[in-house]
Amino acid sequence: MTHDLDQIFAALADPTRRAILTMLLEDDMAVTDVAEPFQMSLAAISKHLTILTRAGLIAQEKRGRVKWCKLEPDAMRTASIWMQGFGQFEPVNLEAFERFLAIELDNDAQLDPSER
């Protein structure tokens, strides 16, 4: 299981690969269509797709002469189950945290430099 998690999180660590997964949420896509929005070679996209395939996040299949990519929705189940183990922590309320920081920074700005 650790090896699977390592591969999944390594694959998800790259913004290009996350963007590819987001694109595949909509529908299956040909490799050339996956590559289209990116400013990189088809070979570079193929390397990203290989990493996603090895992690089990996508599947690739040939249909005629075209290679297609498809999202494997169950692939993140292992990672999701692992992350749910951290669910006992309270979610961070970012708005309250921002208000707290603003008050603290304001209070700090009002202090005499010798009091800081």
Side-chain angles (χ1 to χ4, degrees):
M1 181 167 137
T2 303
H3 179 67
D4 294 340
L5 281 175
D6 290 347
Q7 284 189 315
I8 290 169
F9 285 121
L12 294 173
D14 184 85
T16 300
R17 292 191 285 270
R18 290 192 305 271
I20 290 170
L21 291 174
T22 301
M23 291 166 47
L24 292 174
L25 277 171
E26 299 295 321
D27 201 4
D28 299 357
M29 296 178 76
V31 170
T32 52
D33 294 333
V34 170
E36 189 176 309
F38 300 101
Q39 297 291 321
M40 60 181 72
S41 68
L42 192 56
I45 288 295
S46 291
K47 288 180 182 180
H48 284 294
L49 294 174
T50 299
I51 292 168
L52 290 169
T53 302
R54 286 185 186 152
L57 297 170
I58 67 168
Q60 295 184 64
E61 65 179 41
K62 273 210 154 192
R63 298 179 196 163
R65 292 193 285 175
V66 178
K67 198 173 205 178
W68 286 79
C69 301
K70 149 182 155 171
L71 191 66
E72 290 291 340
D74 293 334
M76 283 198 234
R77 180 174 288 134
T78 304
S80 177
I81 291 169
W82 182 83
M83 289 186 292
Q84 287 174 8
F86 294 94
Q88 73 271 17
F89 298 111
E90 290 293 319
V92 175
N93 182 335
L94 293 179
E95 290 177 12
F97 184 62
E98 286 176 1
R99 285 191 301 271
F100 168 78
L101 284 178
I103 291 167
E104 289 298 311
L105 292 173
D106 188 46
N107 289 342
D108 193 38
Q110 293 175 10
L111 289 177
D112 189 25
S114 63
E115 296 177 311
R116 290 185 193 161

